[in-house]
Structure formats: structure tokens, C-alpha cells
Coordinates of all heavy atoms in Angstrom, one line a residue:
M1263 N -62.8 -51.2 -3.7 CA -62.7 -51.2 -5.1 C -62.3 -52.6 -5.6 O -61.3 -53.1 -5.1 CB -61.7 -50.1 -5.6 CG -61.5 -50.1 -7.1 SD -60.2 -49.0 -7.6 CE -60.6 -47.5 -6.9
K1264 N -63.0 -53.1 -6.6 CA -62.6 -54.4 -7.2 C -61.6 -54.1 -8.3 O -61.9 -53.3 -9.2 CB -63.9 -55.0 -7.7 CG -63.6 -56.4 -8.4 CD -64.9 -57.0 -8.9 CE -64.6 -58.1 -9.8 NZ -65.9 -58.5 -10.5
I1265 N -60.5 -54.8 -8.3 CA -59.5 -54.6 -9.3 C -59.2 -56.0 -9.9 O -58.8 -56.9 -9.2 CB -58.2 -54.0 -8.7 CG1 -58.5 -52.7 -8.1 CG2 -57.1 -53.8 -9.8 CD1 -57.3 -52.1 -7.3
K1266 N -59.3 -56.1 -11.3 CA -59.0 -57.3 -12.0 C -57.7 -57.0 -12.8 O -57.7 -56.1 -13.6 CB -60.1 -57.7 -12.8 CG -59.9 -59.0 -13.6 CD -61.0 -59.4 -14.5 CE -60.7 -60.6 -15.4 NZ -61.7 -60.8 -16.4
V1267 N -56.7 -57.9 -12.7 CA -55.5 -57.7 -13.4 C -55.2 -58.9 -14.3 O -55.3 -60.0 -13.7 CB -54.3 -57.4 -12.5 CG1 -53.0 -57.3 -13.2 CG2 -54.6 -56.1 -11.7
E1268 N -54.9 -58.7 -15.5 CA -54.6 -59.8 -16.4 C -53.2 -59.5 -17.1 O -53.1 -58.4 -17.6 CB -55.6 -60.1 -17.5 CG -55.3 -61.4 -18.3 CD -56.4 -61.8 -19.2 OE1 -57.4 -61.1 -19.3 OE2 -56.3 -62.9 -19.8
T1269 N -52.3 -60.4 -17.0 CA -51.0 -60.2 -17.5 C -50.7 -61.1 -18.7 O -51.1 -62.3 -18.6 CB -49.9 -60.4 -16.4 OG1 -50.2 -59.5 -15.3 CG2 -48.5 -60.0 -16.9
F1270 N -50.1 -60.6 -19.7 CA -49.7 -61.4 -20.9 C -48.2 -61.3 -21.0 O -47.6 -60.4 -21.5 CB -50.3 -60.8 -22.1 CG -51.8 -60.7 -22.0 CD1 -52.4 -59.5 -21.5 CD2 -52.6 -61.8 -22.3 CE1 -53.8 -59.4 -21.4 CE2 -54.0 -61.7 -22.2 CZ -54.6 -60.5 -21.7
P1271 N -47.5 -62.4 -20.4 CA -46.0 -62.4 -20.4 C -45.4 -62.3 -21.9 O -46.0 -62.8 -22.8 CB -45.6 -63.7 -19.8 CG -46.9 -64.1 -19.0 CD -48.0 -63.6 -19.8
F1272 N -44.3 -61.7 -22.0 CA -43.6 -61.6 -23.2 C -43.2 -63.0 -23.6 O -42.8 -63.8 -22.8 CB -42.3 -60.7 -23.1 CG -42.6 -59.3 -22.9 CD1 -41.9 -58.6 -21.9 CD2 -43.5 -58.6 -23.7 CE1 -42.2 -57.2 -21.7 CE2 -43.8 -57.3 -23.5 CZ -43.1 -56.6 -22.5
R1273 N -43.2 -63.3 -24.9 CA -42.9 -64.7 -25.4 C -41.5 -64.9 -25.7 O -41.0 -66.0 -26.0 CB -43.8 -65.0 -26.6 CG -45.2 -65.0 -26.4 CD -45.6 -66.2 -25.6 NE -47.0 -66.2 -25.3 CZ -47.6 -66.8 -24.3 NH1 -46.8 -67.5 -23.4 NH2 -48.8 -66.7 -24.0
D1274 N -40.7 -63.8 -25.7 CA -39.3 -63.9 -26.2 C -38.4 -64.3 -25.0 O -37.1 -64.3 -25.2 CB -38.8 -62.6 -26.8 CG -38.8 -61.5 -25.8 OD1 -39.2 -61.6 -24.7 OD2 -38.5 -60.3 -26.3
G1275 N -38.9 -64.7 -23.8 CA -38.1 -65.1 -22.7 C -37.6 -64.0 -21.8 O -37.1 -64.2 -20.8
T1276 N -37.9 -62.7 -22.2 CA -37.5 -61.6 -21.3 C -38.5 -61.5 -20.2 O -39.7 -61.8 -20.4 CB -37.4 -60.3 -22.1 OG1 -38.6 -60.0 -22.7 CG2 -36.3 -60.3 -23.1
A1277 N -38.1 -61.0 -19.1 CA -39.0 -60.8 -17.9 C -40.0 -59.7 -18.2 O -39.7 -58.7 -18.8 CB -38.2 -60.5 -16.7
G1278 N -41.2 -59.9 -17.8 CA -42.2 -58.8 -17.9 C -43.3 -59.2 -19.0 O -43.3 -60.3 -19.5
G1279 N -44.2 -58.2 -19.2 CA -45.3 -58.4 -20.1 C -46.2 -57.2 -20.2 O -45.9 -56.2 -19.6
I1280 N -47.3 -57.5 -20.9 CA -48.3 -56.4 -21.0 C -49.4 -56.7 -20.0 O -49.8 -57.9 -19.8 CB -48.9 -56.4 -22.5 CG1 -47.8 -56.3 -23.5 CG2 -50.0 -55.4 -22.6 CD1 -47.1 -55.0 -23.5
V1281 N -50.0 -55.7 -19.4 CA -50.9 -55.8 -18.3 C -52.2 -55.1 -18.7 O -52.1 -53.9 -19.2 CB -50.4 -55.3 -17.0 CG1 -51.4 -55.4 -15.9 CG2 -49.1 -56.0 -16.6
T1282 N -53.4 -55.7 -18.4 CA -54.7 -55.0 -18.5 C -55.2 -54.9 -17.2 O -55.3 -55.9 -16.4 CB -55.6 -55.8 -19.5 OG1 -55.0 -55.8 -20.8 CG2 -57.0 -55.2 -19.5
I1283 N -55.7 -53.7 -16.8 CA -56.3 -53.6 -15.4 C -57.7 -53.1 -15.6 O -58.0 -52.1 -16.3 CB -55.5 -52.5 -14.6 CG1 -54.0 -52.9 -14.6 CG2 -56.1 -52.4 -13.2 CD1 -53.1 -51.9 -14.0
V1284 N -58.7 -53.7 -14.9 CA -60.1 -53.3 -14.9 C -60.5 -52.9 -13.5 O -60.3 -53.7 -12.5 CB -61.0 -54.5 -15.4 CG1 -62.4 -54.1 -15.4 CG2 -60.5 -54.9 -16.8
F1285 N -61.1 -51.7 -13.3 CA -61.5 -51.2 -12.1 C -63.0 -51.3 -12.0 O -63.8 -50.8 -12.8 CB -61.1 -49.8 -11.9 CG -59.6 -49.6 -11.9 CD1 -59.0 -49.3 -13.1 CD2 -58.8 -49.7 -10.8 CE1 -57.6 -49.1 -13.2 CE2 -57.5 -49.6 -10.8 CZ -56.8 -49.2 -12.0
D1286 N -63.5 -52.0 -10.9 CA -65.0 -52.1 -10.6 C -65.8 -52.5 -11.9 O -66.9 -52.1 -12.0 CB -65.5 -50.8 -10.1 CG -65.1 -50.6 -8.6 OD1 -64.8 -51.6 -7.9 OD2 -65.0 -49.4 -8.2
D1287 N -65.2 -53.3 -12.7 CA -65.9 -53.8 -13.9 C -66.5 -52.7 -14.8 O -67.5 -52.8 -15.5 CB -67.1 -54.8 -13.6 CG -66.5 -56.1 -13.0 OD1 -65.5 -56.6 -13.5 OD2 -67.2 -56.7 -12.1
C1288 N -65.9 -51.5 -14.7 CA -66.4 -50.3 -15.5 C -65.4 -49.4 -16.1 O -65.7 -48.5 -16.8 CB -67.4 -49.5 -14.6 SG -66.7 -48.8 -13.2
F1289 N -64.1 -49.6 -15.7 CA -63.0 -48.8 -16.3 C -61.8 -49.7 -16.6 O -61.3 -50.3 -15.7 CB -62.7 -47.6 -15.4 CG -61.7 -46.7 -16.0 CD1 -62.1 -45.7 -16.9 CD2 -60.3 -46.7 -15.7 CE1 -61.3 -44.8 -17.5 CE2 -59.5 -45.8 -16.3 CZ -59.9 -44.9 -17.2
K1290 N -61.3 -49.7 -17.8 CA -60.2 -50.6 -18.2 C -59.1 -49.8 -18.7 O -59.2 -48.8 -19.5 CB -60.8 -51.5 -19.4 CG -59.8 -52.5 -19.9 CD -60.5 -53.3 -20.9 CE -59.5 -54.4 -21.5 NZ -60.2 -55.3 -22.4
V1291 N -57.9 -50.2 -18.3 CA -56.6 -49.6 -18.7 C -55.8 -50.6 -19.4 O -55.5 -51.7 -18.8 CB -55.8 -48.9 -17.6 CG1 -54.5 -48.3 -18.1 CG2 -56.6 -47.9 -16.8
N1292 N -55.5 -50.4 -20.7 CA -54.7 -51.4 -21.5 C -53.3 -50.9 -21.7 O -53.0 -49.7 -21.3 CB -55.3 -51.5 -22.9 CG -56.6 -52.2 -22.9 OD1 -56.8 -53.2 -22.3 ND2 -57.6 -51.7 -23.7
S1293 N -52.5 -51.7 -22.1 CA -51.1 -51.4 -22.5 C -50.2 -50.9 -21.4 O -49.3 -50.1 -21.6 CB -51.1 -50.3 -23.6 OG -51.7 -50.8 -24.8
V1294 N -50.5 -51.4 -20.2 CA -49.6 -51.2 -19.1 C -48.5 -52.2 -19.2 O -48.7 -53.4 -19.5 CB -50.3 -51.3 -17.7 CG1 -49.3 -51.2 -16.5 CG2 -51.5 -50.3 -17.6
H1295 N -47.2 -51.8 -19.0 CA -46.1 -52.7 -19.2 C -45.5 -53.1 -17.8 O -45.3 -52.2 -17.0 CB -45.0 -52.1 -20.0 CG -45.3 -52.1 -21.5 ND1 -46.1 -51.1 -22.0 CD2 -44.9 -52.9 -22.5 CE1 -46.2 -51.3 -23.3 NE2 -45.5 -52.4 -23.6
L1296 N -45.4 -54.4 -17.6 CA -44.7 -54.9 -16.4 C -43.2 -55.1 -16.8 O -42.9 -55.9 -17.7 CB -45.3 -56.2 -15.9 CG -44.6 -56.9 -14.7 CD1 -44.7 -55.9 -13.5 CD2 -45.3 -58.2 -14.4
K1297 N -42.3 -54.3 -16.2 CA -40.9 -54.4 -16.5 C -40.0 -54.6 -15.3 O -40.5 -54.6 -14.2 CB -40.5 -53.1 -17.2 CG -41.2 -52.7 -18.4 CD -40.7 -51.4 -19.0 CE -41.4 -51.0 -20.3 NZ -40.9 -49.7 -20.8
R1298 N -38.8 -54.8 -15.6 CA -37.8 -55.0 -14.5 C -36.8 -53.8 -14.6 O -36.2 -53.6 -15.7 CB -37.1 -56.3 -14.6 CG -36.2 -56.7 -13.4 CD -35.5 -58.0 -13.6 NE -36.4 -59.1 -13.8 CZ -36.6 -60.0 -12.9 NH1 -36.0 -60.0 -11.8 NH2 -37.5 -61.0 -13.2
S1299 N -36.5 -53.1 -13.5 CA -35.6 -52.0 -13.5 C -34.2 -52.5 -13.7 O -33.9 -53.7 -13.6 CB -35.7 -51.2 -12.2 OG -35.2 -51.9 -11.1
V1300 N -33.2 -51.5 -13.9 CA -31.8 -51.9 -14.0 C -31.3 -52.5 -12.7 O -30.4 -53.3 -12.7 CB -30.9 -50.7 -14.4 CG1 -31.3 -50.2 -15.8 CG2 -31.1 -49.6 -13.4
N1301 N -32.0 -52.3 -11.6 CA -31.6 -52.9 -10.3 C -32.3 -54.2 -10.0 O -32.1 -54.8 -9.0 CB -32.0 -51.9 -9.1 CG -31.2 -50.6 -9.2 OD1 -30.1 -50.6 -9.7 ND2 -31.8 -49.5 -8.7
G1302 N -33.2 -54.6 -11.0 CA -33.8 -55.9 -10.9 C -35.2 -55.9 -10.3 O -35.8 -56.9 -10.1
Y1303 N -35.7 -54.7 -9.9 CA -37.0 -54.6 -9.3 C -38.1 -54.5 -10.3 O -38.0 -53.7 -11.3 CB -37.1 -53.4 -8.3 CG -36.1 -53.4 -7.2 CD1 -34.9 -52.7 -7.2 CD2 -36.3 -54.3 -6.2 CE1 -34.0 -52.7 -6.2 CE2 -35.4 -54.4 -5.1 CZ -34.2 -53.6 -5.1 OH -33.3 -53.7 -4.1
P1304 N -39.2 -55.2 -10.1 CA -40.3 -55.1 -11.1 C -41.1 -53.8 -10.9 O -41.2 -53.3 -9.7 CB -41.2 -56.3 -10.8 CG -40.8 -56.7 -9.4 CD -39.4 -56.2 -9.1
Y1305 N -41.6 -53.2 -11.9 CA -42.4 -52.0 -11.9 C -43.4 -51.9 -13.0 O -43.2 -52.6 -14.0 CB -41.5 -50.7 -11.8 CG -40.8 -50.4 -13.1 CD1 -41.4 -49.5 -14.0 CD2 -39.6 -51.0 -13.5 CE1 -40.8 -49.2 -15.2 CE2 -39.0 -50.7 -14.7 CZ -39.6 -49.8 -15.6 OH -39.0 -49.5 -16.8
L1306 N -44.4 -51.1 -12.9 CA -45.4 -50.9 -14.0 C -45.1 -49.6 -14.7 O -44.8 -48.5 -14.1 CB -46.8 -50.8 -13.4 CG -47.3 -52.1 -12.8 CD1 -48.7 -51.9 -12.2 CD2 -47.3 -53.2 -13.8
S1307 N -45.1 -49.6 -16.0 CA -45.0 -48.5 -16.9 C -46.4 -48.3 -17.5 O -46.8 -49.1 -18.3 CB -43.9 -48.7 -17.9 OG -43.9 -47.7 -18.8
F1308 N -47.0 -47.1 -17.3 CA -48.3 -46.8 -17.7 C -48.3 -46.2 -19.1 O -47.3 -45.7 -19.6 CB -49.0 -45.9 -16.7 CG -49.4 -46.7 -15.5 CD1 -48.5 -46.8 -14.5 CD2 -50.6 -47.3 -15.3 CE1 -48.8 -47.6 -13.3 CE2 -51.0 -48.0 -14.2 CZ -50.0 -48.1 -13.2
P1309 N -49.4 -46.4 -19.8 CA -49.5 -45.8 -21.2 C -49.1 -44.3 -21.2 O -49.5 -43.6 -20.3 CB -51.0 -46.0 -21.6 CG -51.5 -47.1 -20.7 CD -50.7 -46.9 -19.4
S1310 N -48.4 -43.9 -22.2 CA -47.9 -42.6 -22.3 C -47.8 -42.1 -23.7 O -47.9 -42.8 -24.6 CB -46.5 -42.5 -21.6 OG -45.6 -43.3 -22.3
R1311 N -47.6 -40.8 -23.8 CA -47.4 -40.1 -25.1 C -46.1 -39.4 -25.1 O -45.5 -39.0 -24.1 CB -48.5 -39.2 -25.4 CG -48.6 -38.0 -24.4 CD -49.8 -37.1 -24.7 NE -50.0 -36.2 -23.6 CZ -49.4 -35.0 -23.5 NH1 -48.5 -34.6 -24.4 NH2 -49.7 -34.2 -22.5
L1312 N -45.5 -39.3 -26.3 CA -44.3 -38.6 -26.5 C -44.5 -37.1 -26.4 O -45.4 -36.5 -27.0 CB -43.7 -38.9 -27.9 CG -42.4 -38.2 -28.2 CD1 -41.3 -38.7 -27.3 CD2 -42.0 -38.5 -29.7
V1313 N -43.7 -36.4 -25.5 CA -43.9 -35.0 -25.3 C -42.8 -34.3 -26.0 O -43.0 -33.2 -26.6 CB -43.9 -34.7 -23.8 CG1 -43.9 -33.2 -23.5 CG2 -45.1 -35.3 -23.1
E1314 N -41.6 -34.8 -25.8 CA -40.4 -34.1 -26.4 C -39.3 -35.1 -26.7 O -39.1 -36.1 -26.0 CB -39.9 -33.1 -25.3 CG -38.7 -32.3 -25.7 CD -38.3 -31.4 -24.5 OE1 -39.2 -30.7 -24.0 OE2 -37.1 -31.4 -24.2
K1315 N -38.6 -34.8 -27.7 CA -37.5 -35.7 -28.1 C -36.3 -34.8 -28.6 O -36.5 -34.1 -29.5 CB -37.9 -36.7 -29.2 CG -36.8 -37.7 -29.6 CD -37.4 -38.7 -30.6 CE -36.3 -39.7 -31.0 NZ -36.9 -40.7 -31.9
D1316 N -35.2 -34.9 -27.9 CA -34.0 -34.2 -28.4 C -32.8 -35.0 -28.0 O -32.8 -35.9 -27.2 CB -34.0 -32.8 -27.8 CG -33.9 -32.7 -26.3 OD1 -33.1 -33.5 -25.7 OD2 -34.5 -31.8 -25.7
E1317 N -31.7 -34.6 -28.7 CA -30.4 -35.4 -28.5 C -29.8 -35.2 -27.1 O -29.2 -36.1 -26.5 CB -29.4 -34.9 -29.5 CG -29.8 -35.3 -30.9 CD -28.8 -34.9 -31.9 OE1 -27.6 -34.6 -31.6 OE2 -29.2 -34.7 -33.1
E1318 N -30.0 -34.0 -26.5 CA -29.5 -33.7 -25.2 C -30.1 -34.5 -24.0 O -29.5 -35.1 -23.2 CB -29.5 -32.2 -24.9 CG -28.7 -31.8 -23.7 CD -28.7 -30.3 -23.6 OE1 -28.4 -29.6 -24.6 OE2 -28.9 -29.8 -22.4
N1319 N -31.5 -34.5 -24.0 CA -32.2 -35.1 -22.9 C -32.9 -36.4 -23.2 O -33.5 -37.0 -22.4 CB -33.3 -34.1 -22.4 CG -32.7 -32.8 -21.9 OD1 -31.7 -32.8 -21.2 ND2 -33.2 -31.7 -22.3
G1320 N -32.8 -36.8 -24.5 CA -33.4 -38.1 -24.9 C -34.9 -37.9 -25.1 O -35.4 -36.8 -25.6
V1321 N -35.7 -38.8 -24.7 CA -37.1 -38.8 -24.9 C -37.9 -38.5 -23.6 O -37.6 -39.1 -22.6 CB -37.6 -40.2 -25.4 CG1 -39.1 -40.3 -25.6 CG2 -36.9 -40.5 -26.8
L1322 N -38.8 -37.6 -23.7 CA -39.6 -37.3 -22.5 C -41.1 -37.8 -22.8 O -41.6 -37.4 -23.8 CB -39.6 -35.8 -22.2 CG -40.5 -35.3 -21.1 CD1 -40.1 -35.9 -19.8 CD2 -40.5 -33.8 -21.0
R1323 N -41.6 -38.6 -21.9 CA -42.9 -39.1 -22.1 C -43.8 -38.7 -20.9 O -43.3 -38.4 -19.8 CB -42.9 -40.6 -22.2 CG -42.0 -41.1 -23.3 CD -42.2 -42.6 -23.6 NE -43.4 -42.9 -24.2 CZ -43.6 -42.8 -25.5 NH1 -42.7 -42.4 -26.3 NH2 -44.8 -43.2 -26.0
K1324 N -45.1 -38.5 -21.2 CA -46.1 -38.1 -20.2 C -47.2 -39.2 -20.1 O -47.7 -39.6 -21.1 CB -46.7 -36.8 -20.6 CG -47.6 -36.2 -19.6 CD -46.7 -35.3 -18.8 CE -47.6 -34.4 -18.0 NZ -47.0 -33.8 -16.9
D1325 N -47.4 -39.8 -18.9 CA -48.4 -40.8 -18.7 C -49.8 -40.3 -19.0 O -50.1 -39.2 -18.6 CB -48.4 -41.3 -17.3 CG -47.2 -42.2 -16.9 OD1 -46.5 -42.6 -17.9 OD2 -46.9 -42.4 -15.8
Y1326 N -50.6 -41.1 -19.7 CA -52.0 -40.8 -19.8 C -52.8 -40.9 -18.5 O -53.6 -40.2 -18.2 CB -52.7 -41.7 -20.9 CG -52.3 -41.3 -22.3 CD1 -51.6 -42.2 -23.1 CD2 -52.7 -40.2 -22.9 CE1 -51.3 -41.9 -24.4 CE2 -52.4 -39.8 -24.2 CZ -51.7 -40.7 -24.9 OH -51.4 -40.4 -26.2
A1327 N -52.4 -42.0 -17.8 CA -53.0 -42.3 -16.5 C -52.0 -43.0 -15.6 O -51.1 -43.7 -16.1 CB -54.2 -43.2 -16.7
H1328 N -52.1 -42.8 -14.3 CA -51.1 -43.4 -13.4 C -51.7 -43.3 -12.0 O -52.5 -42.4 -11.7 CB -49.7 -42.7 -13.5 CG -49.7 -41.3 -13.2 ND1 -49.9 -40.3 -14.1 CD2 -49.6 -40.6 -12.0 CE1 -49.9 -39.1 -13.6 NE2 -49.7 -39.3 -12.3
P1329 N -51.2 -44.2 -11.1 CA -51.6 -44.1 -9.7 C -51.1 -42.8 -9.0 O -50.1 -42.3 -9.3 CB -50.9 -45.3 -9.0 CG -50.5 -46.2 -10.1 CD -50.3 -45.3 -11.3
L1330 N -52.0 -42.2 -8.2 CA -51.6 -41.0 -7.5 C -50.8 -41.1 -6.2 O -50.2 -40.2 -5.8 CB -52.9 -40.1 -7.3 CG -53.6 -39.7 -8.5 CD1 -54.9 -38.9 -8.1 CD2 -52.8 -38.9 -9.4
T1331 N -50.9 -42.3 -5.7 CA -50.1 -42.6 -4.4 C -49.2 -43.8 -4.6 O -49.5 -44.7 -5.4 CB -51.1 -42.9 -3.2 OG1 -51.8 -44.1 -3.5 CG2 -52.1 -41.7 -3.0
E1332 N -48.1 -43.8 -3.8 CA -47.2 -44.8 -3.8 C -47.8 -46.1 -3.4 O -47.6 -47.2 -3.9 CB -46.0 -44.5 -3.0 CG -44.9 -45.5 -3.0 CD -44.2 -45.7 -4.4 OE1 -44.2 -44.7 -5.2 OE2 -43.8 -46.8 -4.7
Q1333 N -48.7 -46.0 -2.4 CA -49.4 -47.2 -1.8 C -50.3 -47.9 -2.9 O -50.2 -49.1 -3.0 CB -50.3 -46.8 -0.7 CG -51.1 -47.9 0.0 CD -52.0 -47.4 1.1 OE1 -52.2 -46.2 1.2 NE2 -52.5 -48.4 1.8
F1334 N -51.0 -47.1 -3.7 CA -51.8 -47.7 -4.8 C -51.0 -48.2 -5.9 O -51.3 -49.3 -6.4 CB -52.8 -46.6 -5.3 CG -53.9 -47.3 -6.1 CD1 -54.8 -48.2 -5.6 CD2 -54.1 -46.9 -7.5 CE1 -55.8 -48.8 -6.4 CE2 -55.1 -47.5 -8.2 CZ -55.9 -48.4 -7.7
R1335 N -49.9 -47.6 -6.2 CA -48.9 -48.1 -7.2 C -48.4 -49.4 -6.8 O -48.3 -50.4 -7.5 CB -47.8 -47.1 -7.5 CG -46.8 -47.6 -8.5 CD -45.6 -46.6 -8.7 NE -46.1 -45.5 -9.4 CZ -46.2 -45.4 -10.7 NH1 -45.9 -46.4 -11.5 NH2 -46.6 -44.2 -11.3
E1336 N -48.0 -49.6 -5.5 CA -47.5 -50.8 -5.0 C -48.5 -51.9 -5.0 O -48.2 -53.1 -5.3 CB -47.0 -50.6 -3.6 CG -45.7 -49.8 -3.5 CD -45.3 -49.5 -2.1 OE1 -46.0 -49.9 -1.1 OE2 -44.2 -48.8 -1.9
K1337 N -49.8 -51.6 -4.7 CA -50.9 -52.5 -4.8 C -51.0 -53.0 -6.2 O -51.1 -54.3 -6.4 CB -52.2 -51.9 -4.3 CG -53.4 -52.8 -4.3 CD -54.6 -52.2 -3.8 CE -55.8 -53.1 -3.8 NZ -56.9 -52.6 -3.1
L1338 N -51.1 -52.1 -7.2 CA -51.3 -52.5 -8.6 C -50.1 -53.4 -9.1 O -50.2 -54.4 -9.8 CB -51.4 -51.3 -9.5 CG -52.7 -50.6 -9.4 CD1 -52.7 -49.4 -10.3 CD2 -53.9 -51.4 -9.6
T1339 N -48.9 -53.0 -8.7 CA -47.7 -53.7 -9.1 C -47.7 -55.1 -8.5 O -47.4 -56.1 -9.2 CB -46.4 -53.0 -8.7 OG1 -46.4 -51.7 -9.2 CG2 -45.2 -53.7 -9.1
G1340 N -48.1 -55.2 -7.2 CA -48.2 -56.5 -6.6 C -49.2 -57.4 -7.3 O -49.0 -58.6 -7.5
L1341 N -50.4 -56.9 -7.7 CA -51.4 -57.7 -8.4 C -50.9 -58.1 -9.7 O -51.2 -59.2 -10.2 CB -52.7 -56.8 -8.5 CG -53.5 -56.6 -7.2 CD1 -54.6 -55.6 -7.5 CD2 -54.0 -57.9 -6.7
A1342 N -50.2 -57.2 -10.4 CA -49.6 -57.6 -11.7 C -48.6 -58.7 -11.6 O -48.5 -59.6 -12.4 CB -49.0 -56.3 -12.4
I1343 N -47.7 -58.6 -10.6 CA -46.7 -59.6 -10.4 C -47.3 -61.0 -10.1 O -46.9 -62.0 -10.6 CB -45.7 -59.2 -9.3 CG1 -44.9 -58.0 -9.8 CG2 -44.8 -60.4 -8.9 CD1 -44.1 -57.4 -8.6
K1344 N -48.4 -60.9 -9.3 CA -49.1 -62.2 -8.9 C -49.7 -62.8 -10.2 O -49.6 -64.0 -10.4 CB -50.2 -61.9 -7.9 CG -51.0 -63.1 -7.5 CD -52.0 -62.7 -6.5 CE -52.9 -64.0 -6.2 NZ -54.0 -63.6 -5.4
S1345 N -50.4 -62.0 -11.0 CA -51.0 -62.5 -12.2 C -49.9 -63.0 -13.2 O -50.1 -64.1 -13.8 CB -51.7 -61.3 -12.9 OG -52.2 -61.7 -14.2
Y1346 N -48.8 -62.3 -13.3 CA -47.7 -62.7 -14.2 C -47.1 -64.1 -13.7 O -47.0 -65.0 -14.5 CB -46.6 -61.7 -14.1 CG -45.3 -62.0 -14.8 CD1 -45.2 -61.7 -16.2 CD2 -44.2 -62.5 -14.1 CE1 -44.0 -62.0 -16.8 CE2 -43.0 -62.8 -14.8 CZ -42.9 -62.5 -16.1 OH -41.8 -62.8 -16.8
N1347 N -46.8 -64.2 -12.4 CA -46.3 -65.5 -11.9 C -47.2 -66.6 -12.1 O -46.8 -67.7 -12.4 CB -45.8 -65.3 -10.5 CG -44.6 -64.4 -10.4 OD1 -43.8 -64.3 -11.3 ND2 -44.4 -63.9 -9.2
E1348 N -48.5 -66.4 -11.8 CA -49.5 -67.5 -12.0 C -49.6 -67.9 -13.4 O -49.7 -69.1 -13.7 CB -50.9 -67.0 -11.5 CG -51.0 -66.8 -10.0 CD -52.3 -66.2 -9.6 OE1 -53.1 -65.7 -10.4 OE2 -52.6 -66.1 -8.4
K1349 N -49.6 -67.0 -14.4 CA -49.6 -67.3 -15.8 C -48.4 -68.1 -16.2 O -48.5 -69.1 -16.9 CB -49.7 -66.0 -16.6 CG -49.8 -66.2 -18.1 CD -51.2 -66.4 -18.7 CE -52.2 -65.4 -18.4 NZ -52.8 -64.7 -19.4
L1350 N -47.2 -67.8 -15.7 CA -46.0 -68.5 -16.1 C -46.0 -69.9 -15.5 O -45.5 -70.8 -16.1 CB -44.7 -67.7 -15.6 CG -44.4 -66.4 -16.3 CD1 -43.1 -65.9 -15.8 CD2 -44.4 -66.6 -17.8
V1351 N -46.5 -70.0 -14.3 CA -46.6 -71.4 -13.7 C -47.5 -72.3 -14.5 O -47.2 -73.4 -14.8 CB -47.1 -71.3 -12.2 CG1 -47.5 -72.6 -11.7 CG2 -46.0 -70.7 -11.3
K1352 N -48.6 -71.7 -15.0 CA -49.6 -72.5 -15.8 C -48.9 -72.9 -17.1 O -49.2 -74.0 -17.7 CB -50.8 -71.7 -16.1 CG -51.8 -71.6 -15.0 CD -53.0 -70.8 -15.4 CE -53.9 -70.6 -14.3 NZ -55.1 -69.8 -14.6
E1353 N -48.0 -72.1 -17.6 CA -47.3 -72.3 -18.9 C -46.0 -73.2 -18.7 O -45.4 -73.6 -19.7 CB -46.9 -71.0 -19.6 CG -48.1 -70.2 -20.1 CD -47.6 -68.9 -20.7 OE1 -46.4 -68.6 -20.8 OE2 -48.5 -68.1 -21.1
G1354 N -45.7 -73.5 -17.4 CA -44.5 -74.3 -17.2 C -43.2 -73.5 -17.3 O -42.2 -74.1 -17.4
R1355 N -43.3 -72.2 -17.3 CA -42.1 -71.4 -17.3 C -41.6 -71.1 -15.9 O -42.3 -71.1 -15.0 CB -42.4 -70.1 -18.1 CG -42.6 -70.3 -19.6 CD -43.1 -69.1 -20.3 NE -42.2 -68.0 -20.2 CZ -42.5 -66.8 -20.7 NH1 -43.6 -66.6 -21.4 NH2 -41.7 -65.7 -20.5
I1356 N -40.3 -70.8 -15.8 CA -39.7 -70.6 -14.5 C -39.1 -69.2 -14.3 O -38.5 -68.9 -13.3 CB -38.6 -71.6 -14.2 CG1 -37.5 -71.5 -15.3 CG2 -39.1 -73.0 -14.1 CD1 -36.2 -72.3 -15.0
D1357 N -39.3 -68.3 -15.3 CA -38.7 -66.9 -15.2 C -39.7 -66.0 -14.4 O -40.2 -65.0 -14.9 CB -38.4 -66.4 -16.5 CG -39.5 -66.5 -17.6 OD1 -40.3 -67.4 -17.4 OD2 -39.5 -65.7 -18.5
L1358 N -39.9 -66.3 -13.1 CA -40.8 -65.6 -12.3 C -40.2 -64.2 -11.9 O -39.0 -64.1 -11.8 CB -41.2 -66.4 -11.1 CG -41.8 -67.8 -11.3 CD1 -42.2 -68.4 -10.0 CD2 -43.1 -67.7 -12.2
L1359 N -41.1 -63.3 -11.6 CA -40.6 -62.0 -11.0 C -40.6 -62.0 -9.5 O -41.4 -62.7 -8.9 CB -41.5 -60.8 -11.5 CG -41.3 -60.4 -12.9 CD1 -42.3 -59.3 -13.3 CD2 -39.9 -59.9 -13.1

């Protein structure tokens, strides 16, 4: 499977950005977010919809699409990080993931 990943780093200096993923030049997923966890690890947050919102449990969201295996999630995350770092190097920024 051919996977093309393009990352658009945030301009405000925070780590991460918006990711577009294209599969086999025939299926595109927009609005994937590359973020850093509270532990400092990068991860992908896939497009989602609000399912429930309450004061006790906070906000519950459901992904529209997401990888079904940990191996494929790691592959996509790795491609996004590579794209992100390459874009930052071209821009002369040093806040790599």
C-alpha cells in the first residue's frame, strides 16, 4: 500500500500540526492532528465527532476513522513524524518531535 503523508506544523511554536494522509492515491484523510502526550510522546489524533458532553465525565469523542492495529498506527505516526521533521528542517525551525 502506498501511503503519502503531508504535515502542516503549527505556526505558534507548539509541537505538532495538522496531517493529511493519502492511501494508494485514491483515499484521503484530512484533519489528523499530530500531538505530543503529557508524557512527551508524539501521537496521531484522528478526525472525530462529539458523542457526549457532561460535567462528570467531560467530553467523549468517537473517531470517524482510525487504524485497526497498533502496528499500522505506529507506521502512520512514524510517517507523520518524519514529514513533520522534514518540513521544520526546511523552515529552519528546531522544535523537532
Side-chain angles (χ1 to χ4, degrees):
M1263 174 187 309
K1264 180 180 167 190
I1265 304 171
K1266 181 182 173 190
V1267 176
E1268 187 171 6
T1269 306
F1270 304 92
F1272 294 132
R1273 298 285 176 209
D1274 63 1
T1276 59
I1280 305 296
V1281 180
T1282 296
I1283 306 171
V1284 178
F1285 299 94
D1286 286 334
D1287 292 324
C1288 62
F1289 187 80
K1290 182 177 181 178
V1291 179
N1292 291 316
S1293 300
V1294 176
H1295 286 79
L1296 178 60
K1297 298 179 177 181
R1298 190 182 300 251
S1299 72
V1300 293
N1301 297 328
Y1303 298 106
Y1305 71 96
L1306 292 178
S1307 174
F1308 288 83
S1310 62
R1311 62 183 168 86
L1312 181 64
V1313 175
E1314 182 179 310
K1315 184 176 181 179
D1316 64 40
E1317 292 179 24
E1318 189 174 315
N1319 298 315
V1321 175
L1322 177 62
R1323 302 190 74 81
K1324 190 90 165 161
D1325 289 346
Y1326 285 113
H1328 59 269
L1330 296 179
T1331 66
E1332 186 64 29
Q1333 180 183 13
F1334 193 61
R1335 179 179 290 275
E1336 289 172 1
K1337 179 177 182 173
L1338 291 178
T1339 302
L1341 291 170
I1343 292 169
K1344 180 181 177 190
S1345 170
Y1346 174 84
N1347 288 339
E1348 287 172 354
K1349 180 89 52 125
L1350 291 185
V1351 167
K1352 284 182 185 177
E1353 294 177 1
R1355 291 173 54 184
I1356 58 169
D1357 49 335
L1358 306 179
L1359 284 177

